[in-house]
Amino acid sequence: MQLKGKKIVLGITGSIAAYKAAILVRLLVKAGAEVQVVMTPSAKEFITPLTLSALSGRPVLCDFFCSGNGVWNSHVELGLWADAMIVAPATASTIGKMAHGIADNLLVTTYLSMKAPVFVAPAMDLDMYSHATTQSNLSILTNNGNYILEPASGELASHLSGKGRMQEPEYILSRLQEYFAGDKALAGRKILITAGPTYEKIDPVRFIGNYSSGKMGFAIANECAMQGAEVTLVAGPVALDTPHPSIKRVDVESAQQMYDASTKIFPQCDAAILCAAVADYSPVAAADKKIKRTADGMTLELKSNPDIAAELGRQKTEKQLLAGFALETNNGEFHAKEKLDKKNLDFIVLNSLEDEGAGFAVDTNKITIIDKEKTSEYPLKSKKDVARDIVSYLKSLFLFLLLFMAVPQTNAQELNATVSLNSSKVQGTNTEVFTVLGDALTEFINNRKWTNYAYEEYERIACNFTFVVDAYSDDGSFTCSLMVQASRPIFGSTYSSTIFKYEDKAINFSYQPYDRLDFNEDNLDNNLTAVIAFYAYIIIGMDMDTMGELGGSEFLNKALNIANNAQMMSDAGWRAGSNENNRYTVIDDYMNGAMEPLRQLMYKYHRLGLDTMFKNADEGRKIITECIAMLKTAYDNRPLAYITKLFTEYKKEELVNVYSNEGGSEEKNSVVEVLYEISPSQSDAWDMIKKSAL
Ligand code: PMT
């Protein structure tokens, strides 16, 4: 879905792996992308342009000019047209040309004109790949902001086995999808990573060290940076280049230096992952001069080094996360749990030298993640993929912190509602009852604790419950309409975005002044409080959906339970199977699997789209455009569902603002087409966007 409508330039170079490019084209096209293939002259020796043009549905570009009519193939236009470029397979020669700007073919000129991100999937023999020249060219490409899809190990065309195999097309597709999914879930987060060994000086020529290469820690730093975090990488002495251009690197040598750097940086961070293999001991004093050999041997007196993890664990606030590693040789789980506890970590990553392919220097690792509640084992994977698993774990704990734990328990209730009760339609009766009911409702909604979670005052959800009394009789029976609206502030701005708005056309209930408003989930004997509880849970659920994908299920399920239990009530708004939209159909839709894209987009739209808009309008709007595509999927899944229409209605002014000034006409037209289809009755608003596209 993330690739639907995306324009991809696929650069193919002369490698035996070029056959995989055909599969990649097919996968990209299947995912909805438009693919323009550009080949180097030697790539044609490995795969024919005919195959690729048949698969991509576009003529393949190989030369600066079309033979026959002499038309110029504009690399400049391609650079502007594309949403991403992939070079797969990328040979050592093309990587070298890209690194040094040797623009002697259309692929390299297109690369040099590219405005979009570029993904490079190297493919070559193991010695060529590990050669210092290739490695230094790849470093240049990384430092220039390109994404290198590191090759895998396996059998190569030379029949040798080693690192150099181009990543599989499915893998390349998934990295691209992740990129477009806007998986910048760590945007705004500051993360400290320690990596590599420490060297403890004995004399000017000798040190105490260990075999850590830094690969694991660097892969974690890279993953965090790819996901938008601001990363500071405190690195011991390693022979690795900084893996991502946005990473801030601090090079240290000894445990004491790593301690000094880490304790200084950690207070400004949201999390730290301590992957370094820190020496536990160092010589009491390093000799100034080389220690001479003696016949009697020598004794080295050692002192304990500071424990960085334990110190950060001591400093950690409840808004910070701290993860460590445990490198064990025996009784791994036992020792790891001990470290988790002693160092006050939120989780620990155990890798054991008992497992083949795990630990120091190798490109793979096999880990077990342990936190206070559970132990999760992972299979042997590349350190890159292990890094993704660790970062996913960290993200899940961030979400948990955000939702439930980061703040001390306070008495603040979840809802911060303004309640109004308009009785103008039924004037002439004793109006005291309306004032008393308005006050009772305000107290009931705002003072009741709807969840077991701790909310700070500033985290309360702003909402309005606006009742209009349509009929009232002195025996206390009411018929009201109710408009419920809730909104959430957008980070870094004063703007609040509506997350739910619905008009309930008719609620019937009885109320006598000074009746106690109460609600019991198991015994719905009061229709008024049942309706209020129903909307309270929807608001809380929708709010949690904006915090984490499908995060609000617990509370939306509570609303669904109320609706199911209320079937026996006389109020028609609860009636399942009604042709009209009513409160039952609203919750029934939200909890229907077919509507999941709509619930998923709540997170993406608010936390990635709108939050980003205030920093980068163009990027934020593009994310919102992807959300509209998700909305369309939900609509196609269940065209008669009311909630897709509801979403467009309560978001219409916002959408007009998002698109009226910004965005290209093609983008606006595609958005407007979806909006007209879902909600033709709001055509005035959509016309405004359409007009701005002209
Ligand atoms: O760098 P690679 O070659 O890719 O290898 C990766 C690795 C094997 C080094 C890595 O996966 C790993 O296990 N790192 C931690 C190694 C280690 O020192 O483990 P430990 O069990 O001794 O330490 C436990 C934790 O305390 C670690 O998070 C460590 O960073 C931290 N520590 C230890 C001692 C100390 N003085 N200060 C610390 O912060």
Side-chain angles (χ1 to χ4, degrees), residues 212-214 216 274-276 306 308-309 325 327 339 343 351 361 383:
S212 170
S213 62
M216 188 67 252
L274 307 177
C275 183
I308 305 167
F325 269 70
L327 178 65
K339 288 175 186 168
K343 301 185 190 226
N351 42 191
K383 280 190 175 159

Side-chain angles (χ1 to χ4, degrees), residues 41 64 170 370 402 502 564-565 617 629 644 654:
F64 289 114
E170 290 76 7
I370 304 171
L402 189 70
Y502 179 68
N564 282 331
N565 293 340
T644 41
E654 192 166 271

Side-chain angles (χ1 to χ4, degrees), residues 355-377:
D355 290 321
E356 202 174 322
F360 288 130
V362 285
D363 288 325
T364 50
N365 208 356
K366 183 171 184 316
I367 60 161
T368 302
I369 299 185
I370 304 171
D371 66 20
K372 291 187 181 89
E373 251 114 58
K374 59 184 185 305
T375 297
S376 318
E377 281 187 41

Side-chain angles (χ1 to χ4, degrees), residues 11 20 39 94 113 179 191 275 338 555:
K20 289 189 189 172
M39 298 174 86
T94 294
S113 307
Y179 177 83
I191 301 182
C275 183
E338 225 176 24
F555 297 99

Side-chain angles (χ1 to χ4, degrees), residues 374-674:
K374 59 184 185 305
T375 297
S376 318
E377 281 187 41
Y378 296 78
L380 184 74
K381 292 182 179 183
S382 73
K383 280 190 175 159
K384 269 198 155 187
D385 288 339
V386 169
R388 288 169 76 185
D389 290 336
I390 294 169
V391 173
S392 293
Y393 210 87
L394 181 77
K395 283 194 299 189
S396 69
L397 293 196
F398 267 138
L399 182 62
F400 191 68
L401 264 194
L402 189 70
L403 291 177
F404 314 130
M405 289 187 45
V407 287
Q409 188 81 31
T410 66
N411 286 328
Q413 267 53 43
E414 299 80 0
L415 300 184
N416 188 5
T418 303
V419 179
S420 67
L421 198 125
N422 180 338
S423 59
S424 55
K425 287 192 187 169
V426 288
Q427 268 170 6
T429 57
N430 174 5
T431 54
E432 192 203 343
V433 61
F434 304 120
T435 314
V436 175
L437 176 57
D439 290 347
L441 282 167
T442 306
E443 190 183 314
F444 176 67
I445 298 170
N446 284 327
N447 291 4
R448 191 183 159 87
K449 195 112 183 65
W450 296 101
T451 75
N452 290 325
Y453 302 125
Y455 274 62
E456 281 276 39
E457 184 62 37
Y458 71 87
E459 290 178 309
R460 299 177 74 193
I461 309 166
C463 50
N464 299 304
F465 285 72
T466 308
F467 291 84
V468 175
V469 184
D470 289 315
Y472 168 72
S473 70
D474 286 339
D475 66 355
S477 60
F478 281 74
T479 301
C480 293
S481 71
L482 166 64
M483 176 63 90
V484 185
Q485 189 265 351
S487 59
R488 248 295 163 215
I490 297 306
F491 290 140
S493 78
T494 51
Y495 177 70
S496 273
S497 179
T498 296
I499 55 168
F500 180 72
K501 187 173 176 184
Y502 179 68
E503 186 182 3
D504 195 316
K505 296 269 170 34
I507 307 167
N508 299 306
F509 60 90
S510 294
Y511 177 79
Q512 296 286 358
Y514 308 107
D515 273 0
R516 210 174 104 76
L517 292 187
D518 209 353
F519 167 70
N520 178 350
E521 245 168 275
D522 303 320
N523 180 16
L524 300 184
D525 56 357
N526 180 331
N527 193 43
L528 175 61
T529 56
V531 170
I532 299 288
F534 172 81
Y535 287 116
Y537 287 135
I538 290 194
I539 291 172
I540 293 166
M542 296 306 284
D543 186 51
M544 289 193 178
D545 270 0
T546 70
M547 301 285 189
E549 233 180 54
L550 306 180
S553 299
E554 179 185 350
F555 297 99
L556 293 174
N557 265 322
K558 277 182 184 279
L560 182 62
N561 272 344
I562 295 175
N564 282 331
N565 293 340
Q567 291 301 301
M568 298 311 289
M569 285 188 160
S570 58
D571 191 328
W574 293 120
R575 202 66 61 240
S578 156
N579 286 334
E580 292 288 307
N581 88 71
N582 62 3
R583 71 185 85 100
Y584 182 87
T585 54
V586 168
I587 191 62
D588 189 43
D589 279 348
Y590 274 126
M591 299 317 287
N592 189 300
M595 289 284 112
E596 251 182 32
L598 173 56
R599 285 193 52 211
Q600 281 162 336
L601 78 79
M602 291 300 285
Y603 169 69
K604 189 165 177 174
Y605 184 102
H606 296 90
R607 290 291 76 82
L608 301 178
L610 288 183
D611 281 357
T612 304
M613 271 208 96
F614 283 88
K615 286 180 254 150
N616 180 337
D618 199 43
E619 218 176 278
R621 192 203 64 252
K622 283 185 185 153
I623 296 171
I624 289 178
T625 301
E626 287 169 15
C627 294
I628 299 296
M630 292 165 84
L631 182 70
K632 166 83 169 127
T633 308
Y635 174 77
D636 288 343
N637 287 347
R638 206 164 143 97
L640 293 179
Y642 177 66
I643 57 170
T644 41
K645 195 159 169 272
L646 187 65
F647 179 88
T648 57
E649 286 179 4
Y650 69 70
K651 288 291 188 196
K652 77 177 171 200
E653 274 112 22
E654 192 166 271
L655 289 169
V656 169
N657 283 334
V658 167
Y659 289 104
S660 284
N661 298 320
E662 308 279 348
S665 53
E666 202 178 320
E667 181 185 16
K668 290 179 185 189
N669 286 332
S670 72
V671 165
V672 162
E673 196 180 316
V674 174

